[in-house]
Amino acid sequence: MCGIVAYIGPQQAFPILIKGLKRLEYRGYDSAGIAIFNGGLKVFKKKGKVQELEAHALEASKESTIGIGHTRWATHGAPDDINAHPHCSGNGRLTLVHNGIIENYALLKTALEKEGHTFKSETDTEVLVHLIEEIQKRDNLPVEEAVRIALTRVVGAYAIVVMDSKEPDKLVAARKASPLVIGVGEDEFFLASDATPIIEHTRTVVYLNDEEIAVVRRSGDMKIKTIDNEVQAPFIHELDMKIEMLEKGGFDYFMLKEIYEQPATIADCMRGRVNAAEGLIRLGGMEDHINRIAQAKRFIVAACGTSWHSGLIGEYLFEDLARIPVEVEYASELRYRNPIITEDDVVIAISQSGETADTLAALELAKEKGAMIYGIVNVVGSSIARITDAGSYIHAGPEIGVASTKAFTGQVTLLTMMALILAEKRGTISKSYFRQLASELAIIPKKVQKVLEYDEQIKYIASEIKDKPNALYLGRGYNFPVALEGALKLKEISYIHAEGYPAAEMKHGPIALIDEQMPVIVIATNKSAYDKIASNIQEVKARKGLVIAVITEGDKVISKMADYTIEIPDTEEPLTPLLSVIPLQLLSYHIAVMRGCNVDQPRNLAKSVTVE
Ligand code: G6P
């Protein structure tokens, strides 16, 4: 996590850096800092959000056409002013911002202390800048060479930008396992953890690769080499992103905007891919590899958080429709448990950001073991998108609210398309059922729109349960992962303890928690287990639990048992998660707002988890 941003060129750096940091705040908001240079080095740092840094620097003179900035998600050391980045070398010549973790920092620190270095902060980052200083000092090296040598001694992950006050006409950047994008303007460069701070200045970008170092100069010159000193030719990309995508557009929070965008983002995910009239579904990413994918002995899905929940829905889809065995793994567990992965497996990584460290590492392991790796990713050009053998973007546009919403429905839409393509190829569903599912999928955006129209009613239910300390979410089959996702949304943004459970499992534990204080949110839209879920609701009611049921329009039975109901339009059962999750997103959103929580930036969380 952590966001870094830097600028060099003819414009004033400070306002560009502040605006860039605000765009990157989703990556962490424990503290923020900026260093600029104008005859001398000036460093501003403040605990808290970027807004507080801005206020802190309000009166100061901030003239400078070069600078580096950082917004932090604390790993080493408390989130305070001293541990905030940028960090300076002992001689005050170098300043550095860093996203990642230097794993061998303790060893390096001891060695540097022996050389007489003293440290102000508890961070691993300060050790790195002192190491660069030590190397630079010893042989009077240019900063880029000192950075290169230092990085050969570092174990861990980094995206860094370094400013040398003796050479204020250049910036040095490097990355390994943490992202870094360079925006190329007219005699100016914008460096950032992702493209969002860059897009309003230039569409031309270069994604730095692992173990590459870039030197960008005020003259407009850019040089890239590896840490092994091999010169690299920069590969220029043109960004396809609109600035409005990064603004709230009249909504109070990004999360609400993103919930409301879902009819459009699901449609975007299917655009050019689903042709219901002709009963055709195609995914460019699968085409060149279709035989290997369709003949896989097993799929292994590796993901974290919300993406893991969509992976679970993928398991139901692939097994039910395409009859391919699936295992869904938390990426962090997969990589550390000596898993059996063979060349006959296809490992599917699901990730909104495309940067989650555990997911990336799990993929590297799968690659080593010879499996094919397929990515389902939102952020174009991200690390996961680049290391996979093949993959598909979900095209949800930038997701800024820390709690994932539109990325989830995009992932589920993509998984549904994949499952249908494979089902057709493997002949595991009838042609008529394939056509039926394809045409239902094509009209899902309209049905999502309809669910959004129940927002006022959902807000009312939120007001009734907002003060409860716990909540239980129940679902069966395709809607069990939706129950998990509903519970995760609630705890992430409202800090209410919530658990998701398969409805029938309730009897094996959670039922002991049920009393009149316990709201139980039941997704009761399945046709296949309707009677069973109705019995589960009776079991909750018998213990005085408060039942909020998500039901299918026109339901006559469960609607009478539940205390509150929210209707969703009828659809084919494998597609119900795309509708049933929407009221749960809205419910947690309203509860969190009513409890006075910062919905977009919940405490202790970050959107892009680039630490393991
Ligand atoms: C963090 C975010 C979640 C996200 C998870 C996985 O925990 O707060 O919203 O689901 O990371 O992130 P990814 O980018 O890999 O989907």
Side-chain angles (χ1 to χ4, degrees):
M1 12 265 247
C2 300
I4 60 177
V5 62
Y7 174 77
I8 184 166
Q11 302 187 57
Q12 282 303 310
F14 196 89
I16 293 175
L17 297 177
I18 284 283
K19 201 159 183 201
L21 289 179
K22 285 187 178 163
R23 293 237 192 272
L24 292 175
E25 242 179 348
Y26 73 85
R27 302 178 68 87
Y29 29 82
D30 288 335
S31 65
I34 284 179
I36 51 176
F37 181 84
N38 188 357
L41 187 69
K42 243 187 198 170
V43 182
F44 305 92
K45 305 196 211 191
K46 202 71 203 145
K47 178 181 175 184
K49 305 231 160 101
V50 177
Q51 210 180 337
E52 279 147 70
L53 172 71
E54 208 177 359
H56 166 71
L58 195 64
E59 304 292 326
S61 136
K62 301 179 284 280
E63 285 279 301
S64 172
T65 52
I66 184 171
I68 60 178
H70 187 271
T71 178
R72 178 168 188 245
W73 187 87
T75 55
H76 291 78
D80 57 24
D81 291 358
I82 294 174
N83 288 328
H85 301 212
H87 287 285
C88 296
S89 56
N91 58 10
R93 176 174 167 178
L94 307 175
T95 46
L96 176 149
V97 285
H98 169 220
N99 164 212
I101 290 190
I102 307 300
E103 286 168 12
N104 59 338
Y105 84 102
L107 273 179
L108 296 170
K109 191 171 184 176
T110 313
L112 286 163
E113 277 167 343
K114 283 195 188 127
E115 303 286 336
H117 288 256
T118 55
F119 296 90
K120 296 194 177 86
S121 77
E122 303 152 83
T123 64
D124 51 338
T125 304
E126 194 185 6
V127 175
L128 177 58
V129 69
H130 277 247
L131 176 65
I132 299 169
E133 171 194 10
E134 184 60 32
I135 294 166
Q136 181 176 46
K137 232 169 34 186
R138 226 178 281 155
D139 294 316
N140 197 19
L141 294 172
V143 59
E144 58 270 34
E145 184 57 8
V147 167
R148 189 188 71 75
I149 296 168
L151 293 178
T152 60
R153 300 192 188 157
V154 154
V155 179
Y158 52 80
I160 55 169
V161 186
V162 189
M163 184 163 73
D164 182 345
S165 38
K166 284 219 173 130
E167 292 185 83
D169 287 328
K170 71 179 174 198
L171 288 171
V172 178
R175 75 154 266 178
K176 183 182 178 190
S178 292
L180 196 69
V181 189
I182 304 173
V184 184
E186 192 118 316
D187 293 343
E188 59 184 351
F189 294 97
F190 306 82
L191 297 90
S193 298
D194 72 24
T196 58
I198 296 175
I199 186 71
E200 58 202 275
H201 305 288
T202 174
R203 295 191 166 273
T204 308
V205 297
V206 172
Y207 294 97
L208 214 55
N209 291 313
D210 271 353
E211 303 200 326
E212 282 182 353
I213 300 172
V215 183
V216 293
R217 292 173 197 270
R218 211 178 276 286
S219 59
D221 180 60
M222 171 166 62
K223 293 260 171 342
I224 299 181
K225 56 163 107 165
T226 65
I227 64 169
D228 299 326
N229 232 347
E230 280 169 28
V231 175
Q232 303 291 303
F235 189 66
I236 305 270
H237 293 255
E238 286 298 313
L239 289 174
D240 174 25
M241 193 192 282
K242 294 196 188 81
I243 193 76
E244 308 84 72
M245 291 173 168
L246 305 174
E247 325 234 292
K248 284 192 204 146
F251 287 90
D252 290 342
Y253 285 98
F254 279 110
M255 182 183 178
L256 189 62
K257 177 186 173 223
E258 287 156 7
I259 292 173
Y260 270 81
E261 277 173 351
Q262 290 175 108
T265 51
I266 295 174
D268 287 344
C269 182
M270 291 190 282
R271 197 174 310 287
R273 292 166 163 176
V274 176
N275 181 337
E278 293 183 25
L280 292 176
I281 301 183
R282 57 175 296 267
L283 281 173
M286 281 177 84
E287 273 167 13
D288 289 345
H289 307 269
I290 188 69
N291 289 332
R292 175 136 188 222
I293 300 172
Q295 283 157 19
K297 291 237 163 64
R298 178 175 66 151
F299 284 176
I300 300 171
V301 176
C304 304
T306 289
S307 300
W308 185 77
H309 294 156
S310 54
L312 286 179
I313 296 174
E315 177 177 17
Y316 284 85
L317 289 162
F318 289 131
E319 294 203 345
D320 182 18
L321 304 176
R323 310 301 296 151
I324 297 172
V326 182
E327 281 174 35
V328 186
E329 300 262 4
Y330 286 116
S332 54
E333 288 299 315
L334 180 66
R335 55 181 294 208
Y336 286 118
R337 68 168 181 78
N338 192 16
I340 299 168
I341 302 177
T342 73
E343 288 167 10
D344 298 327
D345 294 322
V346 171
V347 174
I348 301 177
I350 308 178
S351 176
Q352 187 287 128
S353 62
E355 299 294 347
T356 302
D358 281 320
T359 310
L360 253 175
L363 287 186
E364 271 153 17
L365 177 77
K367 217 171 191 178
E368 261 169 41
K369 294 191 181 269
M372 177 192 173
I373 54 175
Y374 198 91
I376 298 179
V377 171
N378 189 31
V379 177
V380 176
S382 53
S383 302
I384 292 177
R386 287 186 295 140
I387 75 155
T388 41
D389 297 313
S392 307
Y393 286 117
I394 62 169
H395 297 306
E399 190 182 65
I400 293 163
V402 165
S404 184
T405 52
K406 63 176 181 172
F408 175 80
T409 47
Q411 291 162 350
V412 175
T413 305
L414 206 293
L415 288 161
T416 309
M417 290 189 277
M418 280 182 83
L420 283 169
I421 291 169
L422 291 167
E424 189 185 40
K425 171 94 185 153
R426 290 164 57 91
T428 45
I429 58 173
S430 68
K431 284 208 161 43
S432 60
Y433 188 42
F434 175 89
R435 272 185 169 263
Q436 177 60 17
L437 285 170
S439 19
E440 267 299 313
L441 186 60
I443 57 169
I444 276 286
K446 281 200 192 108
K447 295 189 174 181
V448 171
Q449 186 60 48
K450 190 134 190 246
V451 183
L452 291 170
E453 285 161 19
Y454 295 121
D455 194 9
E456 273 308 307
Q457 184 192 338
I458 297 166
K459 193 170 174 185
Y460 171 71
I461 300 172
S463 72
E464 294 283 288
I465 61 169
K466 69 176 193 331
D467 297 319
K468 304 285 185 204
N470 297 290
L472 187 60
Y473 286 72
L474 302 178
R476 295 183 84 111
Y478 279 102
N479 283 299
F480 158 54
V482 178
L484 295 179
E485 176 59 9
L488 176 65
K489 286 287 88 76
L490 189 69
K491 55 190 156 196
E492 275 181 311
I493 60 170
S494 73
Y495 319 137
I496 294 174
H497 167 246
E499 286 191 47
Y501 248 81
E505 267 299 297
M506 176 187 67
K507 294 190 282 296
H508 302 286
I511 199 162
L513 300 170
I514 295 175
D515 60 16
E516 57 277 13
Q517 284 306 311
M518 178 67 95
V520 183
I521 296 102
V522 188
I523 304 137
T525 56
N526 301 34
K527 291 171 190 152
S528 54
Y530 186 84
D531 295 341
K532 303 270 180 247
I533 216 146
S535 312
N536 298 142
I537 292 177
Q538 296 290 17
E539 288 153 14
V540 174
K541 286 309 307 167
R543 280 138 191 109
K544 298 197 172 60
L546 190 73
V547 173
I548 297 136
V550 179
I551 55 170
T552 310
E553 268 172 5
D555 182 304
K556 298 268 180 309
V557 179
I558 291 180
S559 57
K560 294 202 182 78
M561 296 175 188
D563 297 277
Y564 305 94
T565 54
I566 306 164
E567 290 191 340
I568 63 167
D570 191 21
T571 188
E572 292 293 332
E573 194 156 322
L575 309 183
T576 51
L578 289 167
L579 301 180
S580 59
V581 75
I582 310 287
L584 307 190
Q585 296 170 342
L586 284 168
L587 192 67
S588 36
Y589 169 79
H590 289 302
I591 291 174
V593 171
M594 287 170 195
R595 289 166 67 93
C597 302
N598 183 341
V599 170
D600 284 340
Q601 295 177 342
R603 69 183 180 209
N604 304 339
L605 295 178
K607 190 153 187 71
S608 183
V609 183
T610 52
V611 296
E612 296 166 16

